[in-house]
Amino acid sequence: MSTSATPLILRDGTTARVRPSKPDDAAAMSAFIERAREQQGGAMPLLSRPYATLTLEELMDSSDPARRLTLLAIRSVGGEERVVGAAGYRVLESGQADIALGVDEAFRGNGLATRLVERLAMAAAGQDLCRLTAHA
């Protein structure tokens, strides 16, 4: 999978850029998680059971998509580049992976989550993963 950002057109006609996470995205991801916690009344976004054991650095390491991949949706918000959505998978056993997803509340309803999952599924198929499972 390419490490460069590709455009993602949302329902409202605006765009976001999507790319695999990198280790130096940890601060931006941490800010995204904190905003999501505030928006969701303290709930932890993106952390399904398999994800709960990952450190932020591990979550941002998409260097081996055969084991783990996190895609970030990035937008300029108030002149600042910001993570506004993230979707990832973590391989659990041969051919299967658990996925997790989070979208900034301000960007919900524009198809961002759907489009992130589509991109994630395409990346997973490229790694011969045949089953993605999400947990609420």
Side-chain angles (χ1 to χ4, degrees), residues 17-19 21 28-29 32-33 35-36 45-47 51 59-60 69-74 82-89 99-104 112-117 120:
R17 291 176 317 286
V18 177
R19 64 169 172 76
S21 62
M29 185 63 158
F32 169 71
I33 290 170
R35 282 191 311 277
L46 276 177
L47 296 184
Y51 272 80
L59 186 62
M60 293 297 89
L69 175 68
T70 300
L71 298 178
L72 302 179
I74 301 164
R82 183 182 288 184
V83 174
V84 297
Y89 65 73
I99 67 169
L101 172 71
V103 173
D104 188 295
L112 181 56
T114 301
R115 300 298 307 274
L116 278 170
V117 171
L120 192 66

PDB file of all heavy atoms in Angstrom, residues 17-19 21 28-29 32-33 35-36 45-47 51 59-60 69-74 82-89 99-104 112-117 120:
ATOM      1  N   ARG A  17      -7.747  13.717   3.142  1.00  0.00           N
ATOM      2  CA  ARG A  17      -6.641  12.936   2.608  1.00  0.00           C
ATOM      3  C   ARG A  17      -6.490  11.706   3.493  1.00  0.00           C
ATOM      4  O   ARG A  17      -6.523  11.810   4.715  1.00  0.00           O
ATOM      5  CB  ARG A  17      -5.357  13.768   2.599  1.00  0.00           C
ATOM      6  CG  ARG A  17      -5.425  14.895   1.589  1.00  0.00           C
ATOM      7  CD  ARG A  17      -4.209  15.791   1.617  1.00  0.00           C
ATOM      8  NE  ARG A  17      -3.698  16.162   2.931  1.00  0.00           N
ATOM      9  CZ  ARG A  17      -4.252  17.039   3.757  1.00  0.00           C
ATOM     10  NH1 ARG A  17      -5.362  17.642   3.419  1.00  0.00           N
ATOM     11  NH2 ARG A  17      -3.716  17.330   4.913  1.00  0.00           N
ATOM     12  N   VAL A  18      -6.310  10.562   2.859  1.00  0.00           N
ATOM     13  CA  VAL A  18      -6.174   9.306   3.594  1.00  0.00           C
ATOM     14  C   VAL A  18      -4.814   8.709   3.295  1.00  0.00           C
ATOM     15  O   VAL A  18      -4.385   8.673   2.147  1.00  0.00           O
ATOM     16  CB  VAL A  18      -7.286   8.310   3.198  1.00  0.00           C
ATOM     17  CG1 VAL A  18      -7.104   6.983   3.904  1.00  0.00           C
ATOM     18  CG2 VAL A  18      -8.645   8.891   3.504  1.00  0.00           C
ATOM     19  N   ARG A  19      -4.164   8.234   4.357  1.00  0.00           N
ATOM     20  CA  ARG A  19      -2.866   7.579   4.208  1.00  0.00           C
ATOM     21  C   ARG A  19      -2.625   6.672   5.400  1.00  0.00           C
ATOM     22  O   ARG A  19      -3.236   6.846   6.461  1.00  0.00           O
ATOM     23  CB  ARG A  19      -1.742   8.597   4.083  1.00  0.00           C
ATOM     24  CG  ARG A  19      -1.558   9.437   5.322  1.00  0.00           C
ATOM     25  CD  ARG A  19      -0.265  10.230   5.239  1.00  0.00           C
ATOM     26  NE  ARG A  19      -0.142  11.184   6.315  1.00  0.00           N
ATOM     27  CZ  ARG A  19       0.179  10.899   7.568  1.00  0.00           C
ATOM     28  NH1 ARG A  19       0.383   9.645   7.930  1.00  0.00           N
ATOM     29  NH2 ARG A  19       0.279  11.831   8.482  1.00  0.00           N
ATOM     30  N   SER A  21      -0.830   5.323   8.664  1.00  0.00           N
ATOM     31  CA  SER A  21      -0.179   6.023   9.773  1.00  0.00           C
ATOM     32  C   SER A  21       1.327   5.781   9.753  1.00  0.00           C
ATOM     33  O   SER A  21       1.805   4.799   9.182  1.00  0.00           O
ATOM     34  CB  SER A  21      -0.765   5.563  11.101  1.00  0.00           C
ATOM     35  OG  SER A  21      -0.520   4.178  11.283  1.00  0.00           O
ATOM     36  N   ALA A  28      -0.542  13.565  16.808  1.00  0.00           N
ATOM     37  CA  ALA A  28      -1.807  13.909  16.151  1.00  0.00           C
ATOM     38  C   ALA A  28      -2.893  12.899  16.503  1.00  0.00           C
ATOM     39  O   ALA A  28      -4.050  13.264  16.711  1.00  0.00           O
ATOM     40  CB  ALA A  28      -1.611  13.995  14.641  1.00  0.00           C
ATOM     41  N   MET A  29      -2.518  11.623  16.580  1.00  0.00           N
ATOM     42  CA  MET A  29      -3.490  10.587  16.936  1.00  0.00           C
ATOM     43  C   MET A  29      -3.918  10.734  18.390  1.00  0.00           C
ATOM     44  O   MET A  29      -5.090  10.555  18.722  1.00  0.00           O
ATOM     45  CB  MET A  29      -2.902   9.203  16.681  1.00  0.00           C
ATOM     46  CG  MET A  29      -3.887   8.097  16.913  1.00  0.00           C
ATOM     47  SD  MET A  29      -5.271   8.223  15.762  1.00  0.00           S
ATOM     48  CE  MET A  29      -5.843   6.550  15.791  1.00  0.00           C
ATOM     49  N   PHE A  32      -6.450  13.386  18.507  1.00  0.00           N
ATOM     50  CA  PHE A  32      -7.703  12.870  17.961  1.00  0.00           C
ATOM     51  C   PHE A  32      -8.432  12.036  19.009  1.00  0.00           C
ATOM     52  O   PHE A  32      -9.636  12.195  19.225  1.00  0.00           O
ATOM     53  CB  PHE A  32      -7.413  12.037  16.708  1.00  0.00           C
ATOM     54  CG  PHE A  32      -8.584  11.243  16.207  1.00  0.00           C
ATOM     55  CD1 PHE A  32      -9.658  11.868  15.610  1.00  0.00           C
ATOM     56  CD2 PHE A  32      -8.599   9.863  16.343  1.00  0.00           C
ATOM     57  CE1 PHE A  32     -10.747  11.131  15.140  1.00  0.00           C
ATOM     58  CE2 PHE A  32      -9.669   9.115  15.876  1.00  0.00           C
ATOM     59  CZ  PHE A  32     -10.751   9.756  15.274  1.00  0.00           C
ATOM     60  N   ILE A  33      -7.721  11.156  19.673  1.00  0.00           N
ATOM     61  CA  ILE A  33      -8.327  10.298  20.698  1.00  0.00           C
ATOM     62  C   ILE A  33      -8.878  11.140  21.845  1.00  0.00           C
ATOM     63  O   ILE A  33      -9.986  10.900  22.333  1.00  0.00           O
ATOM     64  CB  ILE A  33      -7.320   9.242  21.191  1.00  0.00           C
ATOM     65  CG1 ILE A  33      -7.073   8.213  20.077  1.00  0.00           C
ATOM     66  CG2 ILE A  33      -7.813   8.554  22.465  1.00  0.00           C
ATOM     67  CD1 ILE A  33      -5.919   7.261  20.354  1.00  0.00           C
ATOM     68  N   ARG A  35      -9.898  14.315  21.737  1.00  0.00           N
ATOM     69  CA  ARG A  35     -11.105  15.014  21.270  1.00  0.00           C
ATOM     70  C   ARG A  35     -12.289  14.050  21.238  1.00  0.00           C
ATOM     71  O   ARG A  35     -13.391  14.400  21.645  1.00  0.00           O
ATOM     72  CB  ARG A  35     -10.889  15.614  19.872  1.00  0.00           C
ATOM     73  CG  ARG A  35     -10.091  16.885  19.847  1.00  0.00           C
ATOM     74  CD  ARG A  35     -10.138  17.578  18.492  1.00  0.00           C
ATOM     75  NE  ARG A  35      -9.871  16.714  17.348  1.00  0.00           N
ATOM     76  CZ  ARG A  35      -8.672  16.372  16.905  1.00  0.00           C
ATOM     77  NH1 ARG A  35      -7.584  16.835  17.526  1.00  0.00           N
ATOM     78  NH2 ARG A  35      -8.530  15.585  15.851  1.00  0.00           N
ATOM     79  N   ALA A  36     -12.047  12.839  20.745  1.00  0.00           N
ATOM     80  CA  ALA A  36     -13.124  11.847  20.673  1.00  0.00           C
ATOM     81  C   ALA A  36     -13.619  11.467  22.065  1.00  0.00           C
ATOM     82  O   ALA A  36     -14.823  11.298  22.269  1.00  0.00           O
ATOM     83  CB  ALA A  36     -12.645  10.614  19.911  1.00  0.00           C
ATOM     84  N   PRO A  45     -12.443   5.776  21.883  1.00  0.00           N
ATOM     85  CA  PRO A  45     -12.667   5.393  20.494  1.00  0.00           C
ATOM     86  C   PRO A  45     -11.561   4.476  19.995  1.00  0.00           C
ATOM     87  O   PRO A  45     -10.476   4.423  20.563  1.00  0.00           O
ATOM     88  CB  PRO A  45     -12.603   6.733  19.764  1.00  0.00           C
ATOM     89  CG  PRO A  45     -11.642   7.529  20.593  1.00  0.00           C
ATOM     90  CD  PRO A  45     -11.911   7.105  22.019  1.00  0.00           C
ATOM     91  N   LEU A  46     -11.840   3.775  18.940  1.00  0.00           N
ATOM     92  CA  LEU A  46     -10.859   2.957  18.231  1.00  0.00           C
ATOM     93  C   LEU A  46     -10.374   1.735  18.977  1.00  0.00           C
ATOM     94  O   LEU A  46      -9.615   0.977  18.427  1.00  0.00           O
ATOM     95  CB  LEU A  46      -9.610   3.782  17.860  1.00  0.00           C
ATOM     96  CG  LEU A  46      -9.689   4.583  16.591  1.00  0.00           C
ATOM     97  CD1 LEU A  46      -8.415   5.369  16.423  1.00  0.00           C
ATOM     98  CD2 LEU A  46      -9.907   3.709  15.380  1.00  0.00           C
ATOM     99  N   LEU A  47     -10.758   1.573  20.212  1.00  0.00           N
ATOM    100  CA  LEU A  47     -10.149   0.471  20.946  1.00  0.00           C
ATOM    101  C   LEU A  47     -11.137  -0.665  21.159  1.00  0.00           C
ATOM    102  O   LEU A  47     -11.874  -0.695  22.118  1.00  0.00           O
ATOM    103  CB  LEU A  47      -9.599   0.960  22.285  1.00  0.00           C
ATOM    104  CG  LEU A  47      -8.470   1.964  22.163  1.00  0.00           C
ATOM    105  CD1 LEU A  47      -7.933   2.302  23.541  1.00  0.00           C
ATOM    106  CD2 LEU A  47      -7.357   1.481  21.273  1.00  0.00           C
ATOM    107  N   TYR A  51      -7.387  -4.139  20.059  1.00  0.00           N
ATOM    108  CA  TYR A  51      -6.662  -2.872  19.998  1.00  0.00           C
ATOM    109  C   TYR A  51      -6.293  -2.359  21.380  1.00  0.00           C
ATOM    110  O   TYR A  51      -5.359  -1.590  21.528  1.00  0.00           O
ATOM    111  CB  TYR A  51      -7.488  -1.816  19.261  1.00  0.00           C
ATOM    112  CG  TYR A  51      -7.260  -1.856  17.783  1.00  0.00           C
ATOM    113  CD1 TYR A  51      -7.893  -2.796  16.992  1.00  0.00           C
ATOM    114  CD2 TYR A  51      -6.381  -0.970  17.186  1.00  0.00           C
ATOM    115  CE1 TYR A  51      -7.670  -2.854  15.639  1.00  0.00           C
ATOM    116  CE2 TYR A  51      -6.148  -1.016  15.826  1.00  0.00           C
ATOM    117  CZ  TYR A  51      -6.793  -1.955  15.058  1.00  0.00           C
ATOM    118  OH  TYR A  51      -6.550  -2.016  13.720  1.00  0.00           O
ATOM    119  N   LEU A  59       0.075   1.348  17.415  1.00  0.00           N
ATOM    120  CA  LEU A  59      -1.084   1.700  16.609  1.00  0.00           C
ATOM    121  C   LEU A  59      -0.673   2.528  15.392  1.00  0.00           C
ATOM    122  O   LEU A  59      -1.242   2.386  14.321  1.00  0.00           O
ATOM    123  CB  LEU A  59      -2.088   2.479  17.467  1.00  0.00           C
ATOM    124  CG  LEU A  59      -3.431   2.817  16.851  1.00  0.00           C
ATOM    125  CD1 LEU A  59      -4.201   1.557  16.505  1.00  0.00           C
ATOM    126  CD2 LEU A  59      -4.228   3.683  17.807  1.00  0.00           C
ATOM    127  N   MET A  60       0.338   3.367  15.545  1.00  0.00           N
ATOM    128  CA  MET A  60       0.784   4.230  14.451  1.00  0.00           C
ATOM    129  C   MET A  60       1.771   3.547  13.518  1.00  0.00           C
ATOM    130  O   MET A  60       2.131   4.096  12.483  1.00  0.00           O
ATOM    131  CB  MET A  60       1.438   5.504  15.009  1.00  0.00           C
ATOM    132  CG  MET A  60       0.480   6.417  15.739  1.00  0.00           C
ATOM    133  SD  MET A  60      -0.833   7.075  14.684  1.00  0.00           S
ATOM    134  CE  MET A  60      -2.119   5.851  14.819  1.00  0.00           C
ATOM    135  N   LEU A  69      -2.519  -2.424  10.237  1.00  0.00           N
ATOM    136  CA  LEU A  69      -2.566  -1.219   9.413  1.00  0.00           C
ATOM    137  C   LEU A  69      -3.543  -0.237  10.031  1.00  0.00           C
ATOM    138  O   LEU A  69      -4.637  -0.633  10.444  1.00  0.00           O
ATOM    139  CB  LEU A  69      -3.019  -1.557   7.985  1.00  0.00           C
ATOM    140  CG  LEU A  69      -3.226  -0.371   7.046  1.00  0.00           C
ATOM    141  CD1 LEU A  69      -1.894   0.305   6.714  1.00  0.00           C
ATOM    142  CD2 LEU A  69      -3.945  -0.809   5.782  1.00  0.00           C
ATOM    143  N   THR A  70      -3.160   1.022  10.089  1.00  0.00           N
ATOM    144  CA  THR A  70      -4.056   2.091  10.511  1.00  0.00           C
ATOM    145  C   THR A  70      -4.058   3.141   9.421  1.00  0.00           C
ATOM    146  O   THR A  70      -2.998   3.620   9.018  1.00  0.00           O
ATOM    147  CB  THR A  70      -3.607   2.724  11.843  1.00  0.00           C
ATOM    148  OG1 THR A  70      -3.582   1.714  12.858  1.00  0.00           O
ATOM    149  CG2 THR A  70      -4.554   3.837  12.266  1.00  0.00           C
ATOM    150  N   LEU A  71      -5.253   3.470   8.930  1.00  0.00           N
ATOM    151  CA  LEU A  71      -5.407   4.539   7.949  1.00  0.00           C
ATOM    152  C   LEU A  71      -5.903   5.781   8.661  1.00  0.00           C
ATOM    153  O   LEU A  71      -6.818   5.707   9.495  1.00  0.00           O
ATOM    154  CB  LEU A  71      -6.418   4.143   6.868  1.00  0.00           C
ATOM    155  CG  LEU A  71      -6.057   2.938   6.017  1.00  0.00           C
ATOM    156  CD1 LEU A  71      -7.187   2.639   5.032  1.00  0.00           C
ATOM    157  CD2 LEU A  71      -4.748   3.171   5.279  1.00  0.00           C
ATOM    158  N   LEU A  72      -5.333   6.924   8.327  1.00  0.00           N
ATOM    159  CA  LEU A  72      -5.729   8.192   8.917  1.00  0.00           C
ATOM    160  C   LEU A  72      -6.403   9.067   7.871  1.00  0.00           C
ATOM    161  O   LEU A  72      -5.930   9.152   6.732  1.00  0.00           O
ATOM    162  CB  LEU A  72      -4.505   8.936   9.454  1.00  0.00           C
ATOM    163  CG  LEU A  72      -3.665   8.211  10.499  1.00  0.00           C
ATOM    164  CD1 LEU A  72      -2.490   9.081  10.906  1.00  0.00           C
ATOM    165  CD2 LEU A  72      -4.504   7.822  11.699  1.00  0.00           C
ATOM    166  N   ALA A  73      -7.491   9.719   8.249  1.00  0.00           N
ATOM    167  CA  ALA A  73      -8.136  10.736   7.421  1.00  0.00           C
ATOM    168  C   ALA A  73      -7.709  12.077   8.001  1.00  0.00           C
ATOM    169  O   ALA A  73      -7.879  12.333   9.195  1.00  0.00           O
ATOM    170  CB  ALA A  73      -9.645  10.597   7.470  1.00  0.00           C
ATOM    171  N   ILE A  74      -7.141  12.915   7.142  1.00  0.00           N
ATOM    172  CA  ILE A  74      -6.563  14.184   7.593  1.00  0.00           C
ATOM    173  C   ILE A  74      -7.242  15.331   6.857  1.00  0.00           C
ATOM    174  O   ILE A  74      -7.459  15.261   5.650  1.00  0.00           O
ATOM    175  CB  ILE A  74      -5.044  14.188   7.334  1.00  0.00           C
ATOM    176  CG1 ILE A  74      -4.412  13.020   8.088  1.00  0.00           C
ATOM    177  CG2 ILE A  74      -4.427  15.520   7.725  1.00  0.00           C
ATOM    178  CD1 ILE A  74      -3.028  12.677   7.651  1.00  0.00           C
ATOM    179  N   ARG A  82      -5.211  18.090  10.854  1.00  0.00           N
ATOM    180  CA  ARG A  82      -5.743  17.340  11.987  1.00  0.00           C
ATOM    181  C   ARG A  82      -6.254  15.973  11.530  1.00  0.00           C
ATOM    182  O   ARG A  82      -6.847  15.851  10.470  1.00  0.00           O
ATOM    183  CB  ARG A  82      -6.886  18.149  12.580  1.00  0.00           C
ATOM    184  CG  ARG A  82      -7.487  17.550  13.808  1.00  0.00           C
ATOM    185  CD  ARG A  82      -8.625  18.370  14.314  1.00  0.00           C
ATOM    186  NE  ARG A  82      -8.164  19.608  14.907  1.00  0.00           N
ATOM    187  CZ  ARG A  82      -8.966  20.482  15.504  1.00  0.00           C
ATOM    188  NH1 ARG A  82     -10.273  20.259  15.557  1.00  0.00           N
ATOM    189  NH2 ARG A  82      -8.483  21.566  16.035  1.00  0.00           N
ATOM    190  N   VAL A  83      -6.032  14.970  12.359  1.00  0.00           N
ATOM    191  CA  VAL A  83      -6.640  13.666  12.132  1.00  0.00           C
ATOM    192  C   VAL A  83      -8.120  13.800  12.493  1.00  0.00           C
ATOM    193  O   VAL A  83      -8.454  14.193  13.606  1.00  0.00           O
ATOM    194  CB  VAL A  83      -5.970  12.566  12.990  1.00  0.00           C
ATOM    195  CG1 VAL A  83      -6.721  11.239  12.844  1.00  0.00           C
ATOM    196  CG2 VAL A  83      -4.513  12.394  12.607  1.00  0.00           C
ATOM    197  N   VAL A  84      -8.999  13.485  11.522  1.00  0.00           N
ATOM    198  CA  VAL A  84     -10.438  13.579  11.766  1.00  0.00           C
ATOM    199  C   VAL A  84     -11.113  12.210  11.694  1.00  0.00           C
ATOM    200  O   VAL A  84     -12.310  12.085  11.946  1.00  0.00           O
ATOM    201  CB  VAL A  84     -11.125  14.571  10.802  1.00  0.00           C
ATOM    202  CG1 VAL A  84     -10.586  15.980  11.036  1.00  0.00           C
ATOM    203  CG2 VAL A  84     -10.953  14.153   9.350  1.00  0.00           C
ATOM    204  N   GLY A  85     -10.334  11.197  11.354  1.00  0.00           N
ATOM    205  CA  GLY A  85     -10.864   9.846  11.317  1.00  0.00           C
ATOM    206  C   GLY A  85      -9.729   8.850  11.231  1.00  0.00           C
ATOM    207  O   GLY A  85      -8.635   9.181  10.770  1.00  0.00           O
ATOM    208  N   ALA A  86      -9.991   7.652  11.702  1.00  0.00           N
ATOM    209  CA  ALA A  86      -8.986   6.591  11.643  1.00  0.00           C
ATOM    210  C   ALA A  86      -9.704   5.253  11.577  1.00  0.00           C
ATOM    211  O   ALA A  86     -10.762   5.069  12.176  1.00  0.00           O
ATOM    212  CB  ALA A  86      -8.070   6.630  12.861  1.00  0.00           C
ATOM    213  N   ALA A  87      -9.124   4.355  10.812  1.00  0.00           N
ATOM    214  CA  ALA A  87      -9.639   2.991  10.721  1.00  0.00           C
ATOM    215  C   ALA A  87      -8.438   2.067  10.639  1.00  0.00           C
ATOM    216  O   ALA A  87      -7.454   2.385   9.980  1.00  0.00           O
ATOM    217  CB  ALA A  87     -10.525   2.816   9.488  1.00  0.00           C
ATOM    218  N   GLY A  88      -8.513   0.965  11.334  1.00  0.00           N
ATOM    219  CA  GLY A  88      -7.376   0.067  11.315  1.00  0.00           C
ATOM    220  C   GLY A  88      -7.785  -1.375  11.479  1.00  0.00           C
ATOM    221  O   GLY A  88      -8.907  -1.683  11.884  1.00  0.00           O
ATOM    222  N   TYR A  89      -6.870  -2.247  11.112  1.00  0.00           N
ATOM    223  CA  TYR A  89      -7.062  -3.666  11.376  1.00  0.00           C
ATOM    224  C   TYR A  89      -5.826  -4.224  12.054  1.00  0.00           C
ATOM    225  O   TYR A  89      -4.731  -3.703  11.925  1.00  0.00           O
ATOM    226  CB  TYR A  89      -7.414  -4.482  10.123  1.00  0.00           C
ATOM    227  CG  TYR A  89      -6.350  -4.579   9.049  1.00  0.00           C
ATOM    228  CD1 TYR A  89      -5.212  -5.365   9.197  1.00  0.00           C
ATOM    229  CD2 TYR A  89      -6.517  -3.899   7.849  1.00  0.00           C
ATOM    230  CE1 TYR A  89      -4.266  -5.460   8.197  1.00  0.00           C
ATOM    231  CE2 TYR A  89      -5.572  -3.994   6.838  1.00  0.00           C
ATOM    232  CZ  TYR A  89      -4.452  -4.772   7.019  1.00  0.00           C
ATOM    233  OH  TYR A  89      -3.507  -4.867   6.033  1.00  0.00           O
ATOM    234  N   ILE A  99     -11.174  -5.093  13.234  1.00  0.00           N
ATOM    235  CA  ILE A  99     -11.043  -3.705  12.818  1.00  0.00           C
ATOM    236  C   ILE A  99     -11.574  -2.778  13.892  1.00  0.00           C
ATOM    237  O   ILE A  99     -12.403  -3.166  14.722  1.00  0.00           O
ATOM    238  CB  ILE A  99     -11.739  -3.421  11.477  1.00  0.00           C
ATOM    239  CG1 ILE A  99     -13.265  -3.553  11.574  1.00  0.00           C
ATOM    240  CG2 ILE A  99     -11.181  -4.308  10.383  1.00  0.00           C
ATOM    241  CD1 ILE A  99     -13.999  -3.034  10.354  1.00  0.00           C
ATOM    242  N   ALA A 100     -11.089  -1.560  13.865  1.00  0.00           N
ATOM    243  CA  ALA A 100     -11.556  -0.514  14.756  1.00  0.00           C
ATOM    244  C   ALA A 100     -11.677   0.759  13.932  1.00  0.00           C
ATOM    245  O   ALA A 100     -10.968   0.949  12.939  1.00  0.00           O
ATOM    246  CB  ALA A 100     -10.579  -0.322  15.913  1.00  0.00           C
ATOM    247  N   LEU A 101     -12.566   1.652  14.348  1.00  0.00           N
ATOM    248  CA  LEU A 101     -12.881   2.833  13.569  1.00  0.00           C
ATOM    249  C   LEU A 101     -13.267   3.968  14.488  1.00  0.00           C
ATOM    250  O   LEU A 101     -13.936   3.755  15.496  1.00  0.00           O
ATOM    251  CB  LEU A 101     -14.050   2.499  12.635  1.00  0.00           C
ATOM    252  CG  LEU A 101     -14.690   3.613  11.836  1.00  0.00           C
ATOM    253  CD1 LEU A 101     -13.742   4.076  10.739  1.00  0.00           C
ATOM    254  CD2 LEU A 101     -15.995   3.124  11.235  1.00  0.00           C
ATOM    255  N   GLY A 102     -12.869   5.172  14.129  1.00  0.00           N
ATOM    256  CA  GLY A 102     -13.285   6.361  14.857  1.00  0.00           C
ATOM    257  C   GLY A 102     -13.330   7.546  13.909  1.00  0.00           C
ATOM    258  O   GLY A 102     -12.477   7.677  13.037  1.00  0.00           O
ATOM    259  N   VAL A 103     -14.359   8.404  14.063  1.00  0.00           N
ATOM    260  CA  VAL A 103     -14.502   9.603  13.248  1.00  0.00           C
ATOM    261  C   VAL A 103     -14.858  10.761  14.170  1.00  0.00           C
ATOM    262  O   VAL A 103     -15.722  10.628  15.037  1.00  0.00           O
ATOM    263  CB  VAL A 103     -15.596   9.425  12.162  1.00  0.00           C
ATOM    264  CG1 VAL A 103     -15.871  10.725  11.434  1.00  0.00           C
ATOM    265  CG2 VAL A 103     -15.187   8.340  11.179  1.00  0.00           C
ATOM    266  N   ASP A 104     -14.195  11.888  13.966  1.00  0.00           N
ATOM    267  CA  ASP A 104     -14.487  13.107  14.716  1.00  0.00           C
ATOM    268  C   ASP A 104     -15.960  13.455  14.521  1.00  0.00           C
ATOM    269  O   ASP A 104     -16.484  13.405  13.402  1.00  0.00           O
ATOM    270  CB  ASP A 104     -13.593  14.239  14.190  1.00  0.00           C
ATOM    271  CG  ASP A 104     -13.687  15.486  15.025  1.00  0.00           C
ATOM    272  OD1 ASP A 104     -14.779  16.101  15.055  1.00  0.00           O
ATOM    273  OD2 ASP A 104     -12.670  15.874  15.623  1.00  0.00           O
ATOM    274  N   LEU A 112     -17.536   9.598   5.850  1.00  0.00           N
ATOM    275  CA  LEU A 112     -16.120   9.373   6.142  1.00  0.00           C
ATOM    276  C   LEU A 112     -15.875   7.969   6.692  1.00  0.00           C
ATOM    277  O   LEU A 112     -14.962   7.271   6.236  1.00  0.00           O
ATOM    278  CB  LEU A 112     -15.592  10.434   7.110  1.00  0.00           C
ATOM    279  CG  LEU A 112     -14.117  10.324   7.491  1.00  0.00           C
ATOM    280  CD1 LEU A 112     -13.228  10.334   6.259  1.00  0.00           C
ATOM    281  CD2 LEU A 112     -13.736  11.465   8.429  1.00  0.00           C
ATOM    282  N   ALA A 113     -16.676   7.526   7.630  1.00  0.00           N
ATOM    283  CA  ALA A 113     -16.485   6.187   8.207  1.00  0.00           C
ATOM    284  C   ALA A 113     -16.638   5.108   7.140  1.00  0.00           C
ATOM    285  O   ALA A 113     -15.817   4.190   7.046  1.00  0.00           O
ATOM    286  CB  ALA A 113     -17.469   5.952   9.346  1.00  0.00           C
ATOM    287  N   THR A 114     -17.657   5.240   6.319  1.00  0.00           N
ATOM    288  CA  THR A 114     -17.886   4.260   5.260  1.00  0.00           C
ATOM    289  C   THR A 114     -16.710   4.204   4.303  1.00  0.00           C
ATOM    290  O   THR A 114     -16.219   3.122   3.952  1.00  0.00           O
ATOM    291  CB  THR A 114     -19.178   4.603   4.482  1.00  0.00           C
ATOM    292  OG1 THR A 114     -20.271   4.609   5.393  1.00  0.00           O
ATOM    293  CG2 THR A 114     -19.430   3.606   3.365  1.00  0.00           C
ATOM    294  N   ARG A 115     -16.238   5.359   3.893  1.00  0.00           N
ATOM    295  CA  ARG A 115     -15.136   5.408   2.935  1.00  0.00           C
ATOM    296  C   ARG A 115     -13.839   4.895   3.557  1.00  0.00           C
ATOM    297  O   ARG A 115     -13.039   4.241   2.889  1.00  0.00           O
ATOM    298  CB  ARG A 115     -14.945   6.832   2.408  1.00  0.00           C
ATOM    299  CG  ARG A 115     -16.172   7.412   1.692  1.00  0.00           C
ATOM    300  CD  ARG A 115     -16.580   6.640   0.435  1.00  0.00           C
ATOM    301  NE  ARG A 115     -15.516   6.441  -0.507  1.00  0.00           N
ATOM    302  CZ  ARG A 115     -15.141   7.281  -1.449  1.00  0.00           C
ATOM    303  NH1 ARG A 115     -15.773   8.427  -1.584  1.00  0.00           N
ATOM    304  NH2 ARG A 115     -14.146   6.986  -2.259  1.00  0.00           N
ATOM    305  N   LEU A 116     -13.621   5.164   4.838  1.00  0.00           N
ATOM    306  CA  LEU A 116     -12.432   4.624   5.503  1.00  0.00           C
ATOM    307  C   LEU A 116     -12.479   3.099   5.558  1.00  0.00           C
ATOM    308  O   LEU A 116     -11.478   2.436   5.305  1.00  0.00           O
ATOM    309  CB  LEU A 116     -12.297   5.195   6.922  1.00  0.00           C
ATOM    310  CG  LEU A 116     -11.664   6.561   7.050  1.00  0.00           C
ATOM    311  CD1 LEU A 116     -11.827   7.079   8.479  1.00  0.00           C
ATOM    312  CD2 LEU A 116     -10.197   6.531   6.653  1.00  0.00           C
ATOM    313  N   VAL A 117     -13.639   2.553   5.878  1.00  0.00           N
ATOM    314  CA  VAL A 117     -13.764   1.094   5.936  1.00  0.00           C
ATOM    315  C   VAL A 117     -13.579   0.494   4.544  1.00  0.00           C
ATOM    316  O   VAL A 117     -12.951  -0.563   4.404  1.00  0.00           O
ATOM    317  CB  VAL A 117     -15.101   0.665   6.576  1.00  0.00           C
ATOM    318  CG1 VAL A 117     -15.331  -0.831   6.432  1.00  0.00           C
ATOM    319  CG2 VAL A 117     -15.119   1.058   8.051  1.00  0.00           C
ATOM    320  N   LEU A 120      -9.923   0.467   3.950  1.00  0.00           N
ATOM    321  CA  LEU A 120      -9.316  -0.537   4.815  1.00  0.00           C
ATOM    322  C   LEU A 120      -9.554  -1.941   4.255  1.00  0.00           C
ATOM    323  O   LEU A 120      -8.642  -2.767   4.228  1.00  0.00           O
ATOM    324  CB  LEU A 120      -9.891  -0.417   6.228  1.00  0.00           C
ATOM    325  CG  LEU A 120      -9.177  -1.185   7.315  1.00  0.00           C
ATOM    326  CD1 LEU A 120      -7.774  -0.637   7.532  1.00  0.00           C
ATOM    327  CD2 LEU A 120      -9.971  -1.118   8.603  1.00  0.00           C
TER     328      LEU A 120
END
